[in-house]
Amino acid sequence: MEYGTLNELLDIYPFVEKFNGKINSKLIDLIRTYNKIVKSLHIGNDYFKVYPIMLESSLLKELYVEELKSIVNLHLETGKSYEVLMSETVFSYENRIADLKEKLLSLDMKPYYGSLAYMVERSKYVLDCARKVTNDVSQLEHIVSEMEVILKDLVSLCKGSYYFSPQYRNTCDVLNDYYKSILDIENELFVIVSNRWKDFLSSPVSHDVSNFRYLIHGFTNGSFSPYNIRKVCACLVSNDFLAIPYGEYGLILDFDVSSVDTICSNDAWSFVTSKEKFIDEAFPVNSQLVSFPVSYCYGDFKNSKLLLPQDVISQSVVNNLERNANVPYVYDVCVYNEIFLNSNAKVLGVFYTDKCQNVEMVKEYAASYGLPLVNLSLNELRSLNGFDVSKSK
Protein backbone atom coordinates (compact mmCIF):
# COMPACT_ATOMS: atom_id res chain seq x y z
CA MET A 1 0.00 0.00 0.00
CA GLU A 2 1.33 3.42 -0.97
CA TYR A 3 1.24 5.91 1.97
CA GLY A 4 2.38 9.04 0.17
CA THR A 5 5.12 11.51 1.02
CA LEU A 6 6.57 12.24 4.45
CA ASN A 7 4.90 15.65 4.48
CA GLU A 8 1.53 14.02 3.85
CA LEU A 9 2.10 11.61 6.71
CA LEU A 10 2.87 14.47 9.06
CA ASP A 11 -0.41 16.23 8.38
CA ILE A 12 -2.75 15.03 11.12
CA TYR A 13 -6.01 14.72 9.23
CA PRO A 14 -4.82 12.88 6.10
CA PHE A 15 -2.87 10.61 8.44
CA VAL A 16 -6.03 9.70 10.34
CA GLU A 17 -7.67 8.75 7.06
CA LYS A 18 -4.72 6.69 5.80
CA PHE A 19 -4.44 4.49 8.90
CA ASN A 20 -6.84 2.52 11.02
CA GLY A 21 -8.95 5.17 12.75
CA LYS A 22 -9.35 3.30 16.06
CA ILE A 23 -5.67 2.65 16.66
CA ASN A 24 -4.79 6.17 15.56
CA SER A 25 -7.31 7.69 17.98
CA LYS A 26 -6.01 5.40 20.70
CA LEU A 27 -2.46 6.60 20.11
CA ILE A 28 -3.55 10.24 20.35
CA ASP A 29 -5.38 9.52 23.64
CA LEU A 30 -2.34 7.73 25.06
CA ILE A 31 0.00 10.56 24.09
CA ARG A 32 -2.38 13.00 25.79
CA THR A 33 -2.68 10.85 28.93
CA TYR A 34 1.02 10.14 29.30
CA ASN A 35 2.09 13.75 28.85
CA LYS A 36 -0.72 15.04 31.07
CA ILE A 37 0.53 12.78 33.88
CA VAL A 38 4.24 13.47 33.38
CA LYS A 39 3.91 17.22 32.98
CA SER A 40 1.55 17.56 35.98
CA LEU A 41 3.83 15.73 38.38
CA HIS A 42 6.44 16.53 40.94
CA ILE A 43 7.81 13.34 42.52
CA GLY A 44 9.74 13.46 45.79
CA ASN A 45 11.47 10.65 47.67
CA ASP A 46 8.28 9.17 49.10
CA TYR A 47 5.50 11.41 47.77
CA PHE A 48 4.10 13.05 44.67
CA LYS A 49 2.32 16.32 44.04
CA VAL A 50 0.01 17.21 41.14
CA TYR A 51 -0.18 20.63 39.47
CA PRO A 52 -3.26 21.65 37.44
CA ILE A 53 -2.27 21.99 33.79
CA MET A 54 -3.97 22.29 30.43
CA LEU A 55 -2.51 20.27 27.56
CA GLU A 56 -3.33 22.56 24.64
CA SER A 57 -4.29 21.05 21.30
CA SER A 58 -1.34 22.73 19.56
CA LEU A 59 1.10 21.05 21.94
CA LEU A 60 -0.68 17.71 21.59
CA LYS A 61 -0.32 17.97 17.84
CA GLU A 62 3.42 18.66 18.19
CA LEU A 63 3.85 15.59 20.40
CA TYR A 64 1.78 13.52 18.01
CA VAL A 65 3.77 14.62 14.97
CA GLU A 66 7.01 13.70 16.77
CA GLU A 67 5.69 10.18 17.22
CA LEU A 68 4.74 10.03 13.54
CA LYS A 69 8.27 11.06 12.59
CA SER A 70 9.65 8.24 14.72
CA ILE A 71 7.24 5.77 13.13
CA VAL A 72 8.21 6.89 9.61
CA ASN A 73 11.94 6.66 10.43
CA LEU A 74 11.52 3.19 11.91
CA HIS A 75 9.58 2.13 8.83
CA LEU A 76 12.44 3.28 6.60
CA GLU A 77 15.07 1.64 8.82
CA THR A 78 13.35 -1.69 9.55
CA GLY A 79 10.89 -2.16 6.73
CA LYS A 80 8.12 -2.86 9.23
CA SER A 81 4.66 -1.80 8.15
CA TYR A 82 3.14 1.36 9.54
CA GLU A 83 0.33 -0.71 11.06
CA VAL A 84 2.79 -2.82 13.05
CA LEU A 85 4.78 0.20 14.18
CA MET A 86 1.61 2.02 15.24
CA SER A 87 0.59 -1.00 17.31
CA GLU A 88 4.04 -1.21 18.90
CA THR A 89 3.94 2.49 19.75
CA VAL A 90 0.51 2.13 21.35
CA PHE A 91 1.76 -0.87 23.36
CA SER A 92 4.81 1.11 24.51
CA TYR A 93 2.67 4.00 25.74
CA GLU A 94 0.29 1.65 27.53
CA ASN A 95 3.21 0.07 29.40
CA ARG A 96 4.76 3.42 30.33
CA ILE A 97 1.45 4.74 31.65
CA ALA A 98 0.80 1.54 33.62
CA ASP A 99 4.29 1.61 35.16
CA LEU A 100 3.94 5.27 36.11
CA LYS A 101 0.51 4.74 37.71
CA GLU A 102 1.82 1.76 39.65
CA LYS A 103 4.69 3.82 40.98
CA LEU A 104 2.36 6.64 42.06
CA LEU A 105 0.11 4.23 43.95
CA SER A 106 3.08 3.27 46.10
CA LEU A 107 3.78 6.90 47.07
CA ASP A 108 2.00 9.29 49.41
CA MET A 109 0.04 12.03 47.71
CA LYS A 110 0.01 15.69 48.70
CA PRO A 111 -3.47 17.26 48.80
CA TYR A 112 -4.79 18.51 45.47
CA TYR A 113 -7.12 21.50 45.88
CA GLY A 114 -8.47 21.76 42.35
CA SER A 115 -8.02 24.29 39.58
CA LEU A 116 -6.52 27.65 40.46
CA ALA A 117 -9.75 29.43 39.48
CA TYR A 118 -11.75 27.14 41.78
CA MET A 119 -9.47 27.90 44.73
CA VAL A 120 -9.77 31.65 44.23
CA GLU A 121 -13.54 31.68 43.64
CA ARG A 122 -14.22 29.42 46.61
CA SER A 123 -11.96 31.58 48.81
CA LYS A 124 -14.05 34.62 47.85
CA TYR A 125 -17.21 32.71 48.78
CA VAL A 126 -15.74 31.66 52.15
CA LEU A 127 -15.01 35.34 52.80
CA ASP A 128 -18.62 36.27 52.00
CA CYS A 129 -19.86 33.62 54.45
CA ALA A 130 -17.34 34.66 57.13
CA ARG A 131 -18.66 38.24 57.09
CA LYS A 132 -21.93 36.90 58.54
CA VAL A 133 -20.10 35.01 61.29
CA THR A 134 -17.52 37.50 62.57
CA ASN A 135 -16.55 41.16 62.24
CA ASP A 136 -12.85 40.29 62.06
CA VAL A 137 -12.28 39.29 58.44
CA SER A 138 -9.24 41.46 57.69
CA GLN A 139 -6.89 38.50 57.33
CA LEU A 140 -9.27 36.73 54.99
CA GLU A 141 -9.72 39.89 52.92
CA HIS A 142 -5.95 40.28 52.57
CA ILE A 143 -5.43 36.68 51.48
CA VAL A 144 -8.28 36.73 48.97
CA SER A 145 -7.02 40.02 47.52
CA GLU A 146 -3.53 38.55 47.04
CA MET A 147 -4.97 35.43 45.41
CA GLU A 148 -7.04 37.47 42.95
CA VAL A 149 -4.01 39.50 41.88
CA ILE A 150 -1.89 36.38 41.36
CA LEU A 151 -4.59 34.63 39.32
CA LYS A 152 -5.20 37.71 37.17
CA ASP A 153 -1.50 37.96 36.32
CA LEU A 154 -1.31 34.23 35.70
CA VAL A 155 -4.15 34.12 33.19
CA SER A 156 -2.17 36.13 30.64
CA LEU A 157 0.87 33.87 31.03
CA CYS A 158 -0.74 30.41 31.03
CA LYS A 159 -0.21 29.46 27.42
CA GLY A 160 1.68 26.58 25.84
CA SER A 161 4.84 25.53 27.63
CA TYR A 162 4.43 28.04 30.49
CA TYR A 163 2.30 25.41 32.24
CA PHE A 164 5.44 23.28 32.57
CA SER A 165 7.81 26.00 33.77
CA PRO A 166 9.26 26.36 37.30
CA GLN A 167 7.62 29.81 37.48
CA TYR A 168 4.16 28.30 37.00
CA ARG A 169 4.76 25.68 39.67
CA ASN A 170 6.08 28.26 42.10
CA THR A 171 2.96 30.36 41.54
CA CYS A 172 0.76 27.30 42.11
CA ASP A 173 2.62 26.63 45.37
CA VAL A 174 1.97 30.19 46.53
CA LEU A 175 -1.76 29.91 45.73
CA ASN A 176 -1.89 26.52 47.46
CA ASP A 177 -0.34 28.02 50.60
CA TYR A 178 -2.83 30.88 50.56
CA TYR A 179 -5.70 28.45 50.06
CA LYS A 180 -4.52 26.29 52.96
CA SER A 181 -4.63 29.44 55.10
CA ILE A 182 -8.21 30.01 53.93
CA LEU A 183 -9.11 26.46 54.97
CA ASP A 184 -7.46 26.94 58.38
CA ILE A 185 -9.42 30.13 59.05
CA GLU A 186 -12.61 28.47 57.80
CA ASN A 187 -12.07 25.60 60.26
CA GLU A 188 -11.44 28.00 63.13
CA LEU A 189 -14.65 29.94 62.46
CA PHE A 190 -16.58 26.72 61.97
CA VAL A 191 -16.69 26.21 65.73
CA ILE A 192 -18.93 29.29 65.97
CA VAL A 193 -21.06 28.15 63.03
CA SER A 194 -21.43 24.64 64.42
CA ASN A 195 -22.89 25.97 67.67
CA ARG A 196 -25.42 28.02 65.71
CA TRP A 197 -26.48 24.96 63.75
CA LYS A 198 -26.86 22.94 66.94
CA ASP A 199 -29.08 25.66 68.41
CA PHE A 200 -31.11 25.78 65.19
CA LEU A 201 -31.76 22.06 64.69
CA SER A 202 -34.38 20.16 66.69
CA SER A 203 -34.37 16.62 68.10
CA PRO A 204 -36.47 13.81 66.62
CA VAL A 205 -36.97 12.49 70.15
CA SER A 206 -39.52 15.27 70.68
CA HIS A 207 -40.85 15.61 67.13
CA ASP A 208 -43.34 18.43 66.56
CA VAL A 209 -44.87 18.47 63.09
CA SER A 210 -45.48 22.22 63.37
CA ASN A 211 -41.92 23.04 64.47
CA PHE A 212 -39.00 20.83 63.38
CA ARG A 213 -35.61 21.26 61.69
CA TYR A 214 -33.57 18.21 60.71
CA LEU A 215 -30.65 17.08 58.60
CA ILE A 216 -31.86 14.08 56.62
CA HIS A 217 -30.42 11.56 54.16
CA GLY A 218 -32.87 9.57 52.02
CA PHE A 219 -32.06 5.97 51.09
CA THR A 220 -32.11 5.25 47.36
CA ASN A 221 -30.54 1.80 47.07
CA GLY A 222 -31.66 0.17 50.28
CA SER A 223 -30.77 0.97 53.85
CA PHE A 224 -27.41 0.59 55.56
CA SER A 225 -26.24 0.47 59.15
CA PRO A 226 -26.18 3.90 60.84
CA TYR A 227 -22.87 2.78 62.33
CA ASN A 228 -21.30 2.16 58.91
CA ILE A 229 -21.14 5.65 57.39
CA ARG A 230 -18.13 6.76 55.33
CA LYS A 231 -19.51 9.70 53.41
CA VAL A 232 -23.11 10.90 53.27
CA CYS A 233 -24.94 13.86 51.77
CA ALA A 234 -27.76 15.35 53.87
CA CYS A 235 -30.44 18.00 53.30
CA LEU A 236 -31.75 20.58 55.74
CA VAL A 237 -35.53 20.29 56.12
CA SER A 238 -38.04 22.04 58.36
CA ASN A 239 -41.75 22.52 58.83
CA ASP A 240 -41.41 25.57 56.55
CA PHE A 241 -40.19 23.47 53.65
CA LEU A 242 -39.39 19.86 53.01
CA ALA A 243 -36.32 19.02 50.93
CA ILE A 244 -36.70 15.34 50.14
CA PRO A 245 -35.59 15.02 46.54
CA TYR A 246 -35.24 11.23 46.69
CA GLY A 247 -35.98 8.26 48.91
CA GLU A 248 -39.09 7.14 50.79
CA TYR A 249 -37.29 6.88 54.11
CA GLY A 250 -33.87 7.53 55.59
CA LEU A 251 -31.77 8.90 58.42
CA ILE A 252 -31.89 12.02 60.59
CA LEU A 253 -28.34 13.15 61.31
CA ASP A 254 -26.50 15.24 63.87
CA PHE A 255 -24.48 18.36 63.03
CA ASP A 256 -21.02 18.37 64.63
CA VAL A 257 -17.66 20.06 64.13
CA SER A 258 -15.96 16.73 63.46
CA SER A 259 -18.52 15.40 60.98
CA VAL A 260 -19.25 18.25 58.52
CA ASP A 261 -17.09 18.62 55.42
CA THR A 262 -18.93 21.47 53.72
CA ILE A 263 -22.37 23.01 53.11
CA CYS A 264 -24.06 24.17 49.90
CA SER A 265 -27.43 25.91 49.51
CA ASN A 266 -27.85 24.35 46.08
CA ASP A 267 -26.69 21.29 44.19
CA ALA A 268 -22.90 21.28 44.69
CA TRP A 269 -22.39 19.01 41.66
CA SER A 270 -20.50 16.67 43.92
CA PHE A 271 -18.81 13.38 43.17
CA VAL A 272 -16.53 11.10 45.14
CA THR A 273 -12.98 10.36 44.14
CA SER A 274 -9.97 8.60 45.61
CA LYS A 275 -6.24 8.56 45.09
CA GLU A 276 -6.60 5.46 42.91
CA LYS A 277 -9.37 6.97 40.79
CA PHE A 278 -7.56 10.31 40.51
CA ILE A 279 -4.45 8.57 39.20
CA ASP A 280 -6.40 6.25 36.90
CA GLU A 281 -8.21 9.21 35.30
CA ALA A 282 -4.93 11.09 34.77
CA PHE A 283 -5.55 13.89 37.28
CA PRO A 284 -8.84 15.58 36.27
CA VAL A 285 -8.20 19.30 36.76
CA ASN A 286 -11.56 19.97 38.41
CA SER A 287 -11.22 17.25 41.04
CA GLN A 288 -10.23 17.98 44.63
CA LEU A 289 -8.47 15.36 46.73
CA VAL A 290 -7.92 16.78 50.21
CA SER A 291 -8.79 13.80 52.40
CA PHE A 292 -7.82 10.16 52.12
CA PRO A 293 -8.73 7.45 51.25
CA VAL A 294 -11.77 9.11 49.60
CA SER A 295 -12.71 12.73 49.07
CA TYR A 296 -15.74 14.68 47.88
CA CYS A 297 -15.23 16.92 44.84
CA TYR A 298 -17.46 19.93 44.22
CA GLY A 299 -18.24 21.39 40.82
CA ASP A 300 -19.88 24.45 42.39
CA PHE A 301 -17.41 26.68 44.27
CA LYS A 302 -20.27 28.12 46.37
CA ASN A 303 -19.79 25.75 49.27
CA SER A 304 -18.43 26.42 52.76
CA LYS A 305 -18.59 25.19 56.34
CA LEU A 306 -19.46 28.75 57.28
CA LEU A 307 -22.93 28.80 55.72
CA LEU A 308 -25.50 29.50 58.42
CA PRO A 309 -28.75 27.49 58.47
CA GLN A 310 -30.95 30.53 57.90
CA ASP A 311 -28.94 31.37 54.76
CA VAL A 312 -29.16 27.78 53.55
CA ILE A 313 -32.95 27.98 53.87
CA SER A 314 -33.40 31.38 52.25
CA GLN A 315 -31.04 30.70 49.35
CA SER A 316 -32.41 27.19 48.80
CA VAL A 317 -35.94 28.55 48.48
CA VAL A 318 -34.82 31.25 46.04
CA ASN A 319 -32.82 28.80 43.93
CA ASN A 320 -35.58 26.25 43.70
CA LEU A 321 -38.50 28.63 43.20
CA GLU A 322 -36.58 30.09 40.26
CA ARG A 323 -36.43 26.61 38.74
CA ASN A 324 -40.11 25.94 39.55
CA ALA A 325 -41.66 29.33 38.88
CA ASN A 326 -44.93 27.87 37.61
CA VAL A 327 -45.60 25.65 40.62
CA PRO A 328 -48.49 27.22 42.59
CA TYR A 329 -47.93 25.48 45.93
CA VAL A 330 -44.84 26.02 48.06
CA TYR A 331 -44.93 22.45 49.34
CA ASP A 332 -44.93 21.08 45.80
CA VAL A 333 -41.46 22.56 45.26
CA CYS A 334 -38.42 20.40 46.00
CA VAL A 335 -36.23 22.75 48.03
CA TYR A 336 -32.74 21.33 47.62
CA ASN A 337 -29.51 21.86 49.55
CA GLU A 338 -26.56 19.70 50.53
CA ILE A 339 -24.63 19.20 53.77
CA PHE A 340 -21.73 16.79 53.32
CA LEU A 341 -20.89 14.59 56.29
CA ASN A 342 -17.98 12.24 56.85
CA SER A 343 -17.48 9.01 58.79
CA ASN A 344 -17.87 10.87 62.11
CA ALA A 345 -21.54 11.50 61.34
CA LYS A 346 -23.91 10.49 64.13
CA VAL A 347 -27.45 9.27 63.44
CA LEU A 348 -30.22 10.71 65.64
CA GLY A 349 -33.30 9.09 64.14
CA VAL A 350 -35.16 7.62 61.17
CA PHE A 351 -37.85 9.24 58.99
CA TYR A 352 -40.35 8.10 56.38
CA THR A 353 -42.53 10.03 53.92
CA ASP A 354 -46.04 9.79 52.51
CA LYS A 355 -44.63 7.75 49.60
CA CYS A 356 -43.21 5.02 51.83
CA GLN A 357 -44.66 1.68 50.71
CA ASN A 358 -43.47 -0.41 53.66
CA VAL A 359 -43.82 1.56 56.87
CA GLU A 360 -43.64 -1.60 59.00
CA MET A 361 -40.23 -2.41 57.59
CA VAL A 362 -39.02 1.11 58.41
CA LYS A 363 -40.40 0.78 61.94
CA GLU A 364 -38.46 -2.45 62.38
CA TYR A 365 -35.30 -0.83 60.99
CA ALA A 366 -35.55 2.07 63.46
CA ALA A 367 -36.34 -0.22 66.38
CA SER A 368 -33.41 -2.52 65.60
CA TYR A 369 -31.02 0.37 66.22
CA GLY A 370 -33.00 1.98 69.04
CA LEU A 371 -33.66 5.12 67.00
CA PRO A 372 -36.75 7.37 67.16
CA LEU A 373 -39.00 7.27 64.08
CA VAL A 374 -40.83 10.30 62.65
CA ASN A 375 -43.18 10.77 59.72
CA LEU A 376 -42.23 13.72 57.50
CA SER A 377 -45.53 14.16 55.71
CA LEU A 378 -45.89 16.68 52.91
CA ASN A 379 -49.69 16.38 53.03
CA GLU A 380 -49.74 17.10 56.74
CA LEU A 381 -47.56 20.18 56.26
CA ARG A 382 -49.78 21.39 53.42
CA SER A 383 -52.86 21.06 55.59
CA LEU A 384 -51.24 22.81 58.56
CA ASN A 385 -50.26 25.71 56.33
CA GLY A 386 -53.71 26.12 54.76
CA PHE A 387 -53.12 24.50 51.36
CA ASP A 388 -55.77 22.39 49.68
CA VAL A 389 -54.21 18.93 49.70
CA SER A 390 -56.51 17.74 46.92
CA LYS A 391 -54.99 20.26 44.50
CA SER A 392 -51.37 19.53 45.29
CA LYS A 393 -49.20 17.32 43.18
Side-chain angles (χ1 to χ4, degrees):
M1 184 182 292
E2 179 60 44
Y3 287 97
T5 67
L6 179 62
N7 286 335
E8 278 183 295
L9 290 172
L10 297 184
D11 186 298
I12 265 190
Y13 299 106
F15 189 88
V16 171
E17 294 173 0
K18 292 177 190 296
F19 292 99
N20 181 295
K22 287 185 178 179
I23 194 168
N24 189 67
S25 296
K26 189 171 186 179
L27 176 58
I28 293 172
D29 286 340
L30 289 169
I31 292 171
R32 179 189 294 109
T33 298
Y34 178 76
N35 283 278
K36 172 76 183 304
I37 294 174
V38 170
K39 295 180 184 299
S40 298
L41 274 177
H42 167 73
I43 298 180
N45 292 331
D46 57 357
Y47 73 92
F48 70 94
K49 181 174 182 176
V50 176
Y51 291 88
I53 69 163
M54 297 294 292
L55 202 62
E56 295 181 353
S57 57
S58 58
L59 177 59
L60 179 60
K61 182 172 181 178
E62 289 177 17
L63 295 167
Y64 177 65
V65 167
E66 287 302 313
E67 285 298 336
L68 301 192
K69 289 179 180 178
S70 298
I71 289 171
V72 170
N73 288 334
L74 284 170
H75 167 71
L76 296 174
E77 292 172 6
T78 66
K80 289 184 179 181
S81 70
Y82 287 113
E83 287 86 349
V84 168
L85 291 169
M86 284 280 284
S87 296
E88 289 178 351
T89 304
V90 165
F91 184 69
S92 173
Y93 267 105
E94 287 176 333
N95 283 340
R96 279 184 280 172
I97 291 170
D99 290 344
L100 187 52
K101 287 181 176 180
E102 185 177 356
K103 178 180 180 180
L104 295 178
L105 289 173
S106 68
L107 300 174
D108 290 333
M109 178 181 167
K110 297 292 185 182
Y112 176 78
Y113 297 109
S115 71
L116 304 184
Y118 175 87
M119 284 191 286
V120 173
E121 291 302 317
R122 185 175 181 276
S123 297
K124 289 160 62 178
Y125 187 70
V126 170
L127 172 59
D128 289 341
C129 294
R131 288 188 172 117
K132 298 183 179 182
V133 177
T134 177
N135 293 324
D136 184 12
V137 293
S138 56
Q139 186 180 4
L140 271 174
E141 289 175 334
H142 171 72
I143 295 172
V144 169
S145 176
E146 291 293 314
M147 293 176 76
E148 288 184 293
V149 170
I150 291 172
L151 183 63
K152 183 179 179 181
D153 291 341
L154 198 59
V155 167
S156 62
L157 296 172
C158 280
K159 297 176 183 177
S161 60
Y162 185 79
Y163 275 113
F164 322 124
S165 67
Q167 294 89 338
Y168 174 74
R169 293 194 170 193
N170 289 338
T171 303
C172 288
D173 288 338
V174 171
L175 280 174
N176 277 343
D177 288 341
Y178 275 138
Y179 190 64
K180 283 187 284 187
S181 297
I182 293 286
L183 297 180
D184 289 341
I185 297 171
E186 184 181 23
N187 285 330
E188 291 172 7
L189 292 175
F190 182 51
V191 176
I192 301 172
V193 173
S194 177
N195 289 332
R196 295 192 189 178
W197 273 85
K198 282 186 172 295
D199 291 339
F200 180 81
L201 296 172
S202 59
S203 170
V205 173
S206 53
H207 178 66
D208 179 355
V209 69
S210 65
N211 184 25
F212 67 85
R213 293 171 296 279
Y214 300 138
L215 293 186
I216 66 166
H217 171 77
F219 292 134
T220 54
N221 296 310
S223 61
F224 53 79
S225 168
Y227 307 115
N228 191 31
I229 293 175
R230 283 203 308 171
K231 294 278 186 180
V232 67
C233 179
C235 287
L236 172 62
V237 302
S238 79
N239 54 289
D240 293 322
F241 67 85
L242 213 50
I244 307 179
Y246 47 78
E248 299 175 358
Y249 70 104
L251 303 175
I252 300 173
L253 297 132
D254 193 15
F255 191 104
D256 187 75
V257 168
S258 64
S259 64
V260 177
D261 285 343
T262 197
I263 305 165
C264 185
S265 61
N266 208 334
D267 186 341
W269 297 96
S270 63
F271 58 95
V272 176
T273 192
S274 64
K275 174 185 169 183
E276 291 75 16
K277 185 178 180 182
F278 187 65
I279 293 171
D280 186 59
E281 294 178 350
F283 316 145
V285 171
N286 292 325
S287 291
Q288 302 108 42
L289 195 59
V290 297
S291 63
F292 301 93
V294 295
S295 183
Y296 268 120
C297 305
Y298 308 103
D300 188 348
F301 65 83
K302 290 185 177 181
N303 68 87
S304 173
K305 291 180 178 182
L306 303 186
L307 259 174
L308 296 170
Q310 295 85 351
D311 292 326
V312 171
I313 290 175
S314 60
Q315 192 56 53
S316 295
V317 171
V318 169
N319 292 339
N320 288 279
L321 287 177
E322 285 177 353
R323 288 196 293 266
N324 298 276
N326 297 321
V327 179
Y329 299 103
V330 172
Y331 288 102
D332 289 327
V333 178
C334 171
V335 181
Y336 193 68
N337 55 75
E338 296 185 319
I339 295 89
F340 295 89
L341 308 175
N342 56 42
S343 58
N344 294 317
K346 179 182 176 183
V347 176
L348 301 178
V350 178
F351 76 91
Y352 66 94
T353 71
D354 298 328
K355 297 179 180 179
C356 185
Q357 298 180 11
N358 194 341
V359 176
E360 289 304 313
M361 181 271 292
V362 180
K363 288 180 178 179
E364 290 176 7
Y365 172 81
S368 68
Y369 293 106
L371 295 169
L373 177 66
V374 302
N375 177 19
L376 299 182
S377 170
L378 277 172
N379 285 334
E380 191 171 10
L381 286 173
R382 290 180 182 120
S383 296
L384 284 173
N385 287 274
F387 291 102
D388 186 345
V389 177
S390 66
K391 294 182 179 180
S392 61
K393 291 185 175 181

